[in-house]
Amino acid sequence: MTDLRPRKPASRTLDELLTPDAVSAILKVTKPWLYAQVQRGRFPIVRFNGRSLRFKASDIQRYIDRQYSA
């Protein structure tokens, strides 16, 4: 017999997206340095409309954590 009770939606966590200005301020680096790191593949990005860049807050936190554990 098929269970027809409504199901709870799967739990999803939406990661906050940060602008390059916000990431530069958090890391206390210049935007050119940040863009260079993006080009080297050190920071994954989310791209909107083919131009606008955003960074997942969790990726930035992971980068910070790696710097302190090294």
Side-chain angles (χ1 to χ4, degrees):
M1 176 149 212
T2 305
D3 184 4
L4 298 177
R5 290 180 287 181
R7 297 181 186 195
K8 289 184 180 179
S11 175
R12 290 188 349 192
T13 302
L14 294 177
D15 209 348
E16 182 179 3
L17 296 177
L18 304 171
T19 64
D21 287 330
V23 174
S24 295
I26 290 167
L27 298 178
K28 296 182 175 43
V29 297
T30 64
K31 282 186 11 182
W33 181 88
L34 182 62
Y35 290 131
Q37 300 312 304
V38 167
Q39 289 294 321
R40 292 182 180 130
R42 294 194 178 149
F43 290 102
I45 58 169
V46 177
R47 208 179 270 282
F48 292 99
N49 300 327
R51 296 192 63 178
S52 299
L53 299 180
R54 296 294 182 270
F55 299 83
K56 288 184 178 181
S58 62
D59 291 335
I60 302 307
Q61 185 61 55
R62 196 171 307 123
Y63 173 81
I64 293 168
D65 293 344
R66 279 193 311 239
Q67 298 308 305
Y68 282 106
S69 66

Short mmCIF file of all heavy atoms in Angstrom, two decimals:
data_model
loop_
_atom_site.label_atom_id
_atom_site.label_comp_id
_atom_site.label_asym_id
_atom_site.label_seq_id
_atom_site.Cartn_x
_atom_site.Cartn_y
_atom_site.Cartn_z
N MET A 1 0.84 -1.18 0.00
CA MET A 1 0.00 0.00 0.00
C MET A 1 0.89 1.25 0.00
O MET A 1 1.88 1.32 0.70
CB MET A 1 -0.91 -0.03 1.23
CG MET A 1 -1.74 1.18 1.39
SD MET A 1 -3.27 0.71 2.19
CE MET A 1 -4.34 1.85 1.48
N THR A 2 0.52 2.25 -0.75
CA THR A 2 1.29 3.48 -0.88
C THR A 2 0.99 4.42 0.29
O THR A 2 -0.16 4.63 0.65
CB THR A 2 0.93 4.19 -2.20
OG1 THR A 2 1.12 3.29 -3.27
CG2 THR A 2 1.77 5.42 -2.39
N ASP A 3 2.05 4.97 0.86
CA ASP A 3 1.91 5.93 1.96
C ASP A 3 1.63 7.31 1.36
O ASP A 3 2.45 7.86 0.62
CB ASP A 3 3.20 5.96 2.77
CG ASP A 3 3.12 6.86 3.97
OD1 ASP A 3 2.04 7.43 4.23
OD2 ASP A 3 4.13 7.00 4.67
N LEU A 4 0.48 7.88 1.65
CA LEU A 4 0.08 9.17 1.07
C LEU A 4 0.25 10.33 2.04
O LEU A 4 -0.15 11.44 1.73
CB LEU A 4 -1.38 9.10 0.60
CG LEU A 4 -1.65 8.07 -0.49
CD1 LEU A 4 -3.13 8.03 -0.81
CD2 LEU A 4 -0.85 8.38 -1.74
N ARG A 5 0.86 10.08 3.18
CA ARG A 5 1.07 11.17 4.13
C ARG A 5 2.09 12.16 3.56
O ARG A 5 3.04 11.77 2.88
CB ARG A 5 1.60 10.64 5.47
CG ARG A 5 0.55 9.85 6.23
CD ARG A 5 1.11 9.35 7.51
NE ARG A 5 2.03 8.24 7.14
CZ ARG A 5 2.71 7.53 8.01
NH1 ARG A 5 2.64 7.81 9.29
NH2 ARG A 5 3.50 6.55 7.64
N PRO A 6 1.89 13.43 3.83
CA PRO A 6 2.87 14.41 3.33
C PRO A 6 4.23 14.17 3.96
O PRO A 6 4.33 13.81 5.12
CB PRO A 6 2.30 15.76 3.76
CG PRO A 6 1.14 15.49 4.62
CD PRO A 6 0.82 14.04 4.58
N ARG A 7 5.24 14.33 3.16
CA ARG A 7 6.61 14.14 3.64
C ARG A 7 7.24 15.49 3.94
O ARG A 7 6.95 16.49 3.30
CB ARG A 7 7.45 13.44 2.58
CG ARG A 7 6.95 12.07 2.29
CD ARG A 7 7.81 11.43 1.25
NE ARG A 7 7.24 10.15 0.88
CZ ARG A 7 7.88 9.24 0.22
NH1 ARG A 7 9.11 9.46 -0.18
NH2 ARG A 7 7.29 8.12 -0.09
N LYS A 8 8.15 15.47 4.90
CA LYS A 8 8.92 16.67 5.19
C LYS A 8 9.91 16.88 4.05
O LYS A 8 10.49 15.92 3.55
CB LYS A 8 9.69 16.52 6.50
CG LYS A 8 8.82 16.53 7.72
CD LYS A 8 9.69 16.48 8.95
CE LYS A 8 8.83 16.49 10.21
NZ LYS A 8 9.64 16.42 11.41
N PRO A 9 10.11 18.12 3.65
CA PRO A 9 11.09 18.36 2.58
C PRO A 9 12.49 18.02 3.09
O PRO A 9 12.78 18.12 4.28
CB PRO A 9 10.96 19.85 2.28
CG PRO A 9 10.24 20.44 3.44
CD PRO A 9 9.46 19.33 4.09
N ALA A 10 13.33 17.58 2.19
CA ALA A 10 14.72 17.28 2.56
C ALA A 10 15.37 18.53 3.12
O ALA A 10 15.16 19.63 2.63
CB ALA A 10 15.48 16.78 1.34
N SER A 11 16.15 18.35 4.14
CA SER A 11 16.83 19.47 4.77
C SER A 11 17.93 19.98 3.84
O SER A 11 18.80 19.21 3.44
CB SER A 11 17.42 19.03 6.11
OG SER A 11 18.18 20.07 6.66
N ARG A 12 17.88 21.25 3.50
CA ARG A 12 18.91 21.86 2.67
C ARG A 12 19.43 23.09 3.37
O ARG A 12 18.67 23.88 3.90
CB ARG A 12 18.36 22.27 1.31
CG ARG A 12 18.03 21.12 0.45
CD ARG A 12 17.66 21.48 -0.95
NE ARG A 12 17.42 22.88 -1.22
CZ ARG A 12 16.87 23.34 -2.31
NH1 ARG A 12 16.47 22.51 -3.22
NH2 ARG A 12 16.68 24.62 -2.49
N THR A 13 20.72 23.23 3.36
CA THR A 13 21.33 24.41 3.93
C THR A 13 21.81 25.28 2.78
O THR A 13 22.58 24.84 1.95
CB THR A 13 22.54 24.03 4.82
OG1 THR A 13 22.09 23.16 5.83
CG2 THR A 13 23.17 25.25 5.43
N LEU A 14 21.32 26.49 2.72
CA LEU A 14 21.77 27.42 1.70
C LEU A 14 22.97 28.18 2.24
O LEU A 14 22.91 28.77 3.32
CB LEU A 14 20.65 28.39 1.32
CG LEU A 14 19.46 27.76 0.63
CD1 LEU A 14 18.39 28.81 0.38
CD2 LEU A 14 19.86 27.10 -0.67
N ASP A 15 24.03 28.12 1.50
CA ASP A 15 25.26 28.79 1.89
C ASP A 15 25.18 30.27 1.55
O ASP A 15 24.73 30.62 0.46
CB ASP A 15 26.42 28.15 1.13
CG ASP A 15 27.73 28.20 1.86
OD1 ASP A 15 27.84 28.92 2.86
OD2 ASP A 15 28.66 27.51 1.41
N GLU A 16 25.60 31.11 2.46
CA GLU A 16 25.62 32.54 2.18
C GLU A 16 26.62 32.82 1.08
O GLU A 16 27.72 32.26 1.06
CB GLU A 16 26.00 33.32 3.44
CG GLU A 16 25.98 34.81 3.24
CD GLU A 16 26.34 35.57 4.51
OE1 GLU A 16 26.65 34.96 5.52
OE2 GLU A 16 26.30 36.81 4.43
N LEU A 17 26.26 33.70 0.16
CA LEU A 17 27.16 34.09 -0.92
C LEU A 17 27.73 35.46 -0.61
O LEU A 17 27.00 36.38 -0.26
CB LEU A 17 26.41 34.11 -2.26
CG LEU A 17 25.89 32.77 -2.73
CD1 LEU A 17 25.10 32.93 -4.03
CD2 LEU A 17 27.02 31.77 -2.93
N LEU A 18 29.04 35.58 -0.76
CA LEU A 18 29.75 36.81 -0.42
C LEU A 18 30.31 37.47 -1.68
O LEU A 18 30.75 36.79 -2.60
CB LEU A 18 30.92 36.50 0.52
CG LEU A 18 30.56 35.78 1.82
CD1 LEU A 18 31.82 35.36 2.55
CD2 LEU A 18 29.69 36.65 2.69
N THR A 19 30.30 38.78 -1.69
CA THR A 19 30.87 39.54 -2.80
C THR A 19 32.39 39.57 -2.68
O THR A 19 32.94 39.34 -1.61
CB THR A 19 30.35 40.99 -2.80
OG1 THR A 19 30.82 41.62 -1.61
CG2 THR A 19 28.83 41.04 -2.89
N PRO A 20 33.08 39.87 -3.79
CA PRO A 20 34.54 40.04 -3.70
C PRO A 20 34.94 41.12 -2.68
O PRO A 20 35.93 40.95 -1.96
CB PRO A 20 34.94 40.44 -5.12
CG PRO A 20 33.89 39.81 -5.98
CD PRO A 20 32.62 39.93 -5.17
N ASP A 21 34.17 42.20 -2.58
CA ASP A 21 34.47 43.23 -1.58
C ASP A 21 34.40 42.66 -0.16
O ASP A 21 35.27 42.94 0.67
CB ASP A 21 33.50 44.40 -1.69
CG ASP A 21 33.76 45.26 -2.91
OD1 ASP A 21 34.93 45.34 -3.35
OD2 ASP A 21 32.81 45.85 -3.43
N ALA A 22 33.39 41.86 0.11
CA ALA A 22 33.23 41.28 1.44
C ALA A 22 34.35 40.31 1.75
O ALA A 22 34.92 40.33 2.86
CB ALA A 22 31.88 40.58 1.56
N VAL A 23 34.71 39.47 0.78
CA VAL A 23 35.79 38.49 1.00
C VAL A 23 37.12 39.21 1.20
O VAL A 23 37.89 38.84 2.09
CB VAL A 23 35.87 37.48 -0.16
CG1 VAL A 23 37.07 36.57 -0.01
CG2 VAL A 23 34.58 36.67 -0.23
N SER A 24 37.37 40.24 0.42
CA SER A 24 38.61 41.01 0.58
C SER A 24 38.69 41.61 1.98
O SER A 24 39.75 41.60 2.61
CB SER A 24 38.68 42.14 -0.46
OG SER A 24 38.78 41.61 -1.74
N ALA A 25 37.57 42.12 2.48
CA ALA A 25 37.55 42.71 3.82
C ALA A 25 37.75 41.64 4.89
O ALA A 25 38.50 41.85 5.86
CB ALA A 25 36.24 43.44 4.05
N ILE A 26 37.10 40.49 4.72
CA ILE A 26 37.24 39.41 5.70
C ILE A 26 38.68 38.92 5.78
O ILE A 26 39.23 38.74 6.87
CB ILE A 26 36.29 38.24 5.35
CG1 ILE A 26 34.84 38.64 5.58
CG2 ILE A 26 36.64 36.99 6.15
CD1 ILE A 26 33.83 37.69 4.97
N LEU A 27 39.30 38.72 4.61
CA LEU A 27 40.66 38.20 4.57
C LEU A 27 41.73 39.27 4.71
O LEU A 27 42.91 38.96 4.84
CB LEU A 27 40.89 37.43 3.26
CG LEU A 27 40.00 36.20 3.04
CD1 LEU A 27 40.31 35.58 1.68
CD2 LEU A 27 40.18 35.19 4.16
N LYS A 28 41.29 40.53 4.65
CA LYS A 28 42.22 41.67 4.71
C LYS A 28 43.28 41.59 3.60
O LYS A 28 44.48 41.68 3.84
CB LYS A 28 42.87 41.76 6.09
CG LYS A 28 41.87 42.04 7.18
CD LYS A 28 42.55 42.17 8.53
CE LYS A 28 41.64 42.56 9.64
NZ LYS A 28 40.34 41.98 9.76
N VAL A 29 42.75 41.40 2.39
CA VAL A 29 43.60 41.34 1.20
C VAL A 29 43.02 42.29 0.15
O VAL A 29 41.89 42.75 0.28
CB VAL A 29 43.68 39.90 0.62
CG1 VAL A 29 44.31 38.95 1.62
CG2 VAL A 29 42.31 39.40 0.18
N THR A 30 43.80 42.56 -0.87
CA THR A 30 43.30 43.41 -1.96
C THR A 30 42.46 42.58 -2.93
O THR A 30 42.63 41.36 -3.03
CB THR A 30 44.46 44.05 -2.74
OG1 THR A 30 45.22 43.02 -3.37
CG2 THR A 30 45.37 44.88 -1.81
N LYS A 31 41.60 43.26 -3.66
CA LYS A 31 40.79 42.56 -4.66
C LYS A 31 41.66 41.98 -5.78
O LYS A 31 41.40 40.85 -6.22
CB LYS A 31 39.69 43.46 -5.20
CG LYS A 31 38.55 43.56 -4.21
CD LYS A 31 37.31 44.30 -4.62
CE LYS A 31 37.12 44.70 -6.00
NZ LYS A 31 35.90 45.45 -6.26
N PRO A 32 42.72 42.67 -6.23
CA PRO A 32 43.57 42.03 -7.26
C PRO A 32 44.20 40.72 -6.76
O PRO A 32 44.30 39.76 -7.52
CB PRO A 32 44.64 43.10 -7.54
CG PRO A 32 43.95 44.39 -7.24
CD PRO A 32 43.07 44.09 -6.06
N TRP A 33 44.61 40.67 -5.50
CA TRP A 33 45.15 39.43 -4.95
C TRP A 33 44.09 38.34 -4.96
O TRP A 33 44.35 37.20 -5.35
CB TRP A 33 45.65 39.64 -3.51
CG TRP A 33 46.25 38.40 -2.92
CD1 TRP A 33 47.55 37.99 -3.00
CD2 TRP A 33 45.56 37.38 -2.17
NE1 TRP A 33 47.71 36.78 -2.36
CE2 TRP A 33 46.50 36.39 -1.84
CE3 TRP A 33 44.24 37.22 -1.77
CZ2 TRP A 33 46.17 35.25 -1.13
CZ3 TRP A 33 43.91 36.07 -1.05
CH2 TRP A 33 44.87 35.11 -0.73
N LEU A 34 42.87 38.69 -4.55
CA LEU A 34 41.78 37.73 -4.52
C LEU A 34 41.49 37.20 -5.92
O LEU A 34 41.35 35.99 -6.12
CB LEU A 34 40.54 38.39 -3.92
CG LEU A 34 39.31 37.51 -3.78
CD1 LEU A 34 39.57 36.33 -2.85
CD2 LEU A 34 38.13 38.34 -3.27
N TYR A 35 41.40 38.09 -6.90
CA TYR A 35 41.14 37.66 -8.28
C TYR A 35 42.27 36.76 -8.81
O TYR A 35 42.01 35.81 -9.54
CB TYR A 35 40.95 38.86 -9.20
CG TYR A 35 39.67 39.61 -8.96
CD1 TYR A 35 39.66 40.99 -8.82
CD2 TYR A 35 38.45 38.95 -8.86
CE1 TYR A 35 38.49 41.69 -8.59
CE2 TYR A 35 37.27 39.64 -8.64
CZ TYR A 35 37.30 41.01 -8.51
OH TYR A 35 36.13 41.68 -8.28
N ALA A 36 43.51 37.05 -8.42
CA ALA A 36 44.64 36.21 -8.83
C ALA A 36 44.48 34.80 -8.24
O ALA A 36 44.77 33.80 -8.92
CB ALA A 36 45.96 36.84 -8.40
N GLN A 37 44.03 34.72 -7.00
CA GLN A 37 43.83 33.41 -6.37
C GLN A 37 42.69 32.64 -7.05
O GLN A 37 42.76 31.42 -7.18
CB GLN A 37 43.54 33.57 -4.87
CG GLN A 37 44.64 34.26 -4.09
CD GLN A 37 46.02 33.69 -4.38
OE1 GLN A 37 46.24 32.49 -4.22
NE2 GLN A 37 46.94 34.53 -4.81
N VAL A 38 41.67 33.36 -7.48
CA VAL A 38 40.57 32.72 -8.22
C VAL A 38 41.13 32.14 -9.52
O VAL A 38 40.82 30.99 -9.89
CB VAL A 38 39.43 33.72 -8.50
CG1 VAL A 38 38.46 33.16 -9.52
CG2 VAL A 38 38.72 34.10 -7.22
N GLN A 39 41.97 32.90 -10.24
CA GLN A 39 42.56 32.43 -11.49
C GLN A 39 43.41 31.18 -11.27
O GLN A 39 43.49 30.32 -12.13
CB GLN A 39 43.42 33.53 -12.13
CG GLN A 39 42.62 34.67 -12.69
CD GLN A 39 41.76 34.23 -13.87
OE1 GLN A 39 42.18 33.43 -14.69
NE2 GLN A 39 40.55 34.73 -13.93
N ARG A 40 44.06 31.09 -10.11
CA ARG A 40 44.90 29.92 -9.78
C ARG A 40 44.08 28.74 -9.25
O ARG A 40 44.63 27.70 -8.97
CB ARG A 40 45.93 30.32 -8.73
CG ARG A 40 46.96 31.28 -9.24
CD ARG A 40 47.99 31.62 -8.19
NE ARG A 40 48.94 32.55 -8.73
CZ ARG A 40 49.30 33.68 -8.14
NH1 ARG A 40 48.80 34.01 -6.97
NH2 ARG A 40 50.17 34.47 -8.72
N GLY A 41 42.79 28.95 -9.10
CA GLY A 41 41.93 27.86 -8.65
C GLY A 41 41.90 27.65 -7.15
O GLY A 41 41.42 26.62 -6.67
N ARG A 42 42.39 28.60 -6.38
CA ARG A 42 42.42 28.45 -4.92
C ARG A 42 41.09 28.76 -4.25
O ARG A 42 40.87 28.35 -3.12
CB ARG A 42 43.51 29.34 -4.34
CG ARG A 42 44.87 28.88 -4.78
CD ARG A 42 45.96 29.50 -3.98
NE ARG A 42 47.24 28.97 -4.44
CZ ARG A 42 48.36 29.64 -4.43
NH1 ARG A 42 48.37 30.87 -3.96
NH2 ARG A 42 49.46 29.10 -4.86
N PHE A 43 40.23 29.49 -4.95
CA PHE A 43 38.90 29.81 -4.42
C PHE A 43 37.86 29.45 -5.47
O PHE A 43 37.86 30.01 -6.56
CB PHE A 43 38.76 31.31 -4.11
CG PHE A 43 39.56 31.77 -2.95
CD1 PHE A 43 40.75 32.44 -3.13
CD2 PHE A 43 39.14 31.53 -1.65
CE1 PHE A 43 41.50 32.88 -2.06
CE2 PHE A 43 39.87 31.97 -0.57
CZ PHE A 43 41.05 32.63 -0.77
N PRO A 44 36.97 28.53 -5.14
CA PRO A 44 35.87 28.28 -6.06
C PRO A 44 34.91 29.46 -6.05
O PRO A 44 34.77 30.14 -5.04
CB PRO A 44 35.19 27.02 -5.51
CG PRO A 44 35.75 26.79 -4.16
CD PRO A 44 36.95 27.65 -3.99
N ILE A 45 34.30 29.71 -7.18
CA ILE A 45 33.39 30.85 -7.29
C ILE A 45 32.04 30.42 -7.83
O ILE A 45 31.91 29.35 -8.43
CB ILE A 45 33.97 31.95 -8.20
CG1 ILE A 45 34.24 31.39 -9.59
CG2 ILE A 45 35.18 32.61 -7.58
CD1 ILE A 45 34.56 32.43 -10.63
N VAL A 46 31.06 31.26 -7.61
CA VAL A 46 29.75 31.13 -8.22
C VAL A 46 29.62 32.35 -9.13
O VAL A 46 29.86 33.48 -8.70
CB VAL A 46 28.63 31.14 -7.15
CG1 VAL A 46 27.26 31.08 -7.80
CG2 VAL A 46 28.84 30.00 -6.17
N ARG A 47 29.28 32.12 -10.38
CA ARG A 47 29.20 33.21 -11.35
C ARG A 47 27.74 33.45 -11.73
O ARG A 47 27.01 32.53 -12.00
CB ARG A 47 30.00 32.84 -12.58
CG ARG A 47 30.55 34.01 -13.30
CD ARG A 47 31.35 33.57 -14.50
NE ARG A 47 32.75 33.35 -14.25
CZ ARG A 47 33.66 34.29 -14.15
NH1 ARG A 47 33.31 35.54 -14.24
NH2 ARG A 47 34.92 34.00 -13.95
N PHE A 48 27.34 34.72 -11.72
CA PHE A 48 26.00 35.12 -12.13
C PHE A 48 26.09 35.93 -13.41
O PHE A 48 26.95 36.80 -13.53
CB PHE A 48 25.33 35.99 -11.05
CG PHE A 48 25.02 35.24 -9.79
CD1 PHE A 48 25.86 35.33 -8.70
CD2 PHE A 48 23.89 34.45 -9.72
CE1 PHE A 48 25.57 34.64 -7.54
CE2 PHE A 48 23.60 33.77 -8.57
CZ PHE A 48 24.44 33.86 -7.47
N ASN A 49 25.21 35.67 -14.34
CA ASN A 49 25.15 36.43 -15.60
C ASN A 49 26.48 36.45 -16.33
O ASN A 49 26.76 37.38 -17.07
CB ASN A 49 24.67 37.86 -15.36
CG ASN A 49 23.30 37.92 -14.74
OD1 ASN A 49 22.46 37.06 -15.03
ND2 ASN A 49 23.06 38.90 -13.91
N GLY A 50 27.32 35.48 -16.07
CA GLY A 50 28.60 35.41 -16.75
C GLY A 50 29.63 36.41 -16.29
O GLY A 50 30.76 36.37 -16.72
N ARG A 51 29.25 37.31 -15.38
CA ARG A 51 30.19 38.36 -14.96
C ARG A 51 30.34 38.46 -13.46
O ARG A 51 31.45 38.54 -12.95
CB ARG A 51 29.74 39.71 -15.52
CG ARG A 51 29.78 39.76 -17.03
CD ARG A 51 29.63 41.13 -17.52
NE ARG A 51 30.76 41.92 -17.05
CZ ARG A 51 30.96 43.17 -17.32
NH1 ARG A 51 30.12 43.81 -18.06
NH2 ARG A 51 32.00 43.82 -16.87
N SER A 52 29.24 38.54 -12.75
CA SER A 52 29.29 38.78 -11.31
C SER A 52 29.81 37.55 -10.57
O SER A 52 29.35 36.43 -10.81
CB SER A 52 27.90 39.12 -10.78
OG SER A 52 27.41 40.28 -11.39
N LEU A 53 30.77 37.77 -9.69
CA LEU A 53 31.35 36.69 -8.89
C LEU A 53 30.80 36.71 -7.48
O LEU A 53 30.61 37.78 -6.90
CB LEU A 53 32.87 36.83 -8.79
CG LEU A 53 33.69 36.81 -10.05
CD1 LEU A 53 35.16 36.96 -9.70
CD2 LEU A 53 33.46 35.53 -10.81
N ARG A 54 30.62 35.53 -6.93
CA ARG A 54 30.27 35.39 -5.52
C ARG A 54 31.07 34.22 -4.98
O ARG A 54 31.45 33.30 -5.71
CB ARG A 54 28.78 35.14 -5.31
CG ARG A 54 27.88 36.28 -5.74
CD ARG A 54 28.09 37.52 -4.87
NE ARG A 54 27.20 38.59 -5.24
CZ ARG A 54 27.45 39.53 -6.12
NH1 ARG A 54 28.59 39.53 -6.77
NH2 ARG A 54 26.58 40.48 -6.37
N PHE A 55 31.29 34.24 -3.69
CA PHE A 55 32.03 33.19 -3.01
C PHE A 55 31.14 32.59 -1.93
O PHE A 55 30.45 33.32 -1.22
CB PHE A 55 33.28 33.77 -2.32
CG PHE A 55 34.25 34.40 -3.27
CD1 PHE A 55 34.07 35.71 -3.71
CD2 PHE A 55 35.34 33.70 -3.74
CE1 PHE A 55 34.96 36.30 -4.59
CE2 PHE A 55 36.23 34.28 -4.62
CZ PHE A 55 36.05 35.58 -5.04
N LYS A 56 31.16 31.27 -1.81
CA LYS A 56 30.41 30.63 -0.73
C LYS A 56 31.13 30.89 0.58
O LYS A 56 32.35 30.73 0.68
CB LYS A 56 30.31 29.13 -0.95
CG LYS A 56 29.40 28.73 -2.06
CD LYS A 56 29.32 27.21 -2.11
CE LYS A 56 28.39 26.74 -3.18
NZ LYS A 56 28.33 25.27 -3.18
N ALA A 57 30.38 31.29 1.58
CA ALA A 57 30.96 31.58 2.89
C ALA A 57 31.69 30.36 3.44
O ALA A 57 32.75 30.49 4.06
CB ALA A 57 29.88 32.06 3.85
N SER A 58 31.15 29.17 3.21
CA SER A 58 31.79 27.95 3.72
C SER A 58 33.16 27.72 3.07
O SER A 58 34.08 27.23 3.72
CB SER A 58 30.88 26.74 3.51
OG SER A 58 30.64 26.54 2.13
N ASP A 59 33.32 28.09 1.79
CA ASP A 59 34.62 27.96 1.13
C ASP A 59 35.64 28.92 1.72
O ASP A 59 36.81 28.57 1.90
CB ASP A 59 34.49 28.22 -0.38
CG ASP A 59 33.72 27.13 -1.10
OD1 ASP A 59 33.68 25.98 -0.60
OD2 ASP A 59 33.15 27.43 -2.17
N ILE A 60 35.20 30.12 2.05
CA ILE A 60 36.10 31.11 2.65
C ILE A 60 36.49 30.64 4.05
O ILE A 60 37.66 30.72 4.44
CB ILE A 60 35.45 32.51 2.68
CG1 ILE A 60 35.07 32.96 1.26
CG2 ILE A 60 36.36 33.52 3.37
CD1 ILE A 60 36.20 32.89 0.24
N GLN A 61 35.53 30.11 4.81
CA GLN A 61 35.84 29.60 6.15
C GLN A 61 36.83 28.44 6.07
O GLN A 61 37.75 28.34 6.87
CB GLN A 61 34.56 29.17 6.87
CG GLN A 61 34.80 28.73 8.30
CD GLN A 61 35.37 29.85 9.15
OE1 GLN A 61 34.79 30.92 9.22
NE2 GLN A 61 36.51 29.61 9.78
N ARG A 62 36.64 27.56 5.10
CA ARG A 62 37.55 26.42 4.91
C ARG A 62 38.96 26.92 4.61
O ARG A 62 39.95 26.39 5.13
CB ARG A 62 37.03 25.54 3.78
CG ARG A 62 37.63 24.18 3.73
CD ARG A 62 36.93 23.25 2.74
NE ARG A 62 35.51 23.25 3.03
CZ ARG A 62 34.53 23.58 2.18
NH1 ARG A 62 34.76 23.86 0.99
NH2 ARG A 62 33.28 23.60 2.51
N TYR A 63 39.08 27.95 3.79
CA TYR A 63 40.39 28.54 3.47
C TYR A 63 41.04 29.08 4.75
O TYR A 63 42.22 28.82 5.00
CB TYR A 63 40.24 29.64 2.44
CG TYR A 63 41.51 30.41 2.19
CD1 TYR A 63 42.49 29.89 1.34
CD2 TYR A 63 41.76 31.62 2.82
CE1 TYR A 63 43.67 30.57 1.13
CE2 TYR A 63 42.93 32.31 2.60
CZ TYR A 63 43.89 31.79 1.77
OH TYR A 63 45.07 32.46 1.57
N ILE A 64 40.27 29.79 5.54
CA ILE A 64 40.80 30.34 6.80
C ILE A 64 41.25 29.21 7.72
O ILE A 64 42.35 29.27 8.29
CB ILE A 64 39.75 31.24 7.48
CG1 ILE A 64 39.51 32.50 6.65
CG2 ILE A 64 40.18 31.60 8.91
CD1 ILE A 64 38.31 33.31 7.08
N ASP A 65 40.44 28.19 7.84
CA ASP A 65 40.79 27.05 8.70
C ASP A 65 42.07 26.37 8.24
O ASP A 65 42.91 26.00 9.07
CB ASP A 65 39.64 26.03 8.73
CG ASP A 65 38.40 26.55 9.42
OD1 ASP A 65 38.49 27.58 10.16
OD2 ASP A 65 37.32 25.95 9.22
N ARG A 66 42.23 26.22 6.93
CA ARG A 66 43.46 25.61 6.40
C ARG A 66 44.69 26.47 6.71
O ARG A 66 45.76 25.93 6.99
CB ARG A 66 43.36 25.42 4.90
CG ARG A 66 42.57 24.21 4.49
CD ARG A 66 42.78 23.92 3.01
NE ARG A 66 42.59 25.12 2.21
CZ ARG A 66 41.71 25.27 1.25
NH1 ARG A 66 40.92 24.28 0.94
NH2 ARG A 66 41.59 26.40 0.59
N GLN A 67 44.54 27.78 6.67
CA GLN A 67 45.67 28.66 6.94
C GLN A 67 46.15 28.53 8.40
O GLN A 67 47.32 28.60 8.67
CB GLN A 67 45.32 30.12 6.63
CG GLN A 67 44.96 30.37 5.19
CD GLN A 67 46.00 29.84 4.22
OE1 GLN A 67 47.17 30.18 4.31
NE2 GLN A 67 45.58 29.01 3.30
N TYR A 68 45.18 28.35 9.31
CA TYR A 68 45.55 28.24 10.72
C TYR A 68 46.04 26.86 11.10
O TYR A 68 46.74 26.70 12.08
CB TYR A 68 44.36 28.65 11.61
CG TYR A 68 44.21 30.13 11.70
CD1 TYR A 68 43.19 30.79 11.02
CD2 TYR A 68 45.12 30.90 12.43
CE1 TYR A 68 43.06 32.17 11.08
CE2 TYR A 68 45.00 32.28 12.50
CZ TYR A 68 43.97 32.90 11.82
OH TYR A 68 43.85 34.26 11.88
N SER A 69 45.66 25.84 10.32
CA SER A 69 46.10 24.49 10.66
C SER A 69 47.42 24.14 9.99
O SER A 69 48.01 23.11 10.30
CB SER A 69 45.03 23.46 10.26
OG SER A 69 44.89 23.43 8.85
N ALA A 70 47.89 24.97 9.08
CA ALA A 70 49.15 24.69 8.37
C ALA A 70 50.36 25.01 9.20
O ALA A 70 50.40 25.65 10.15
CB ALA A 70 49.19 25.48 7.07
#
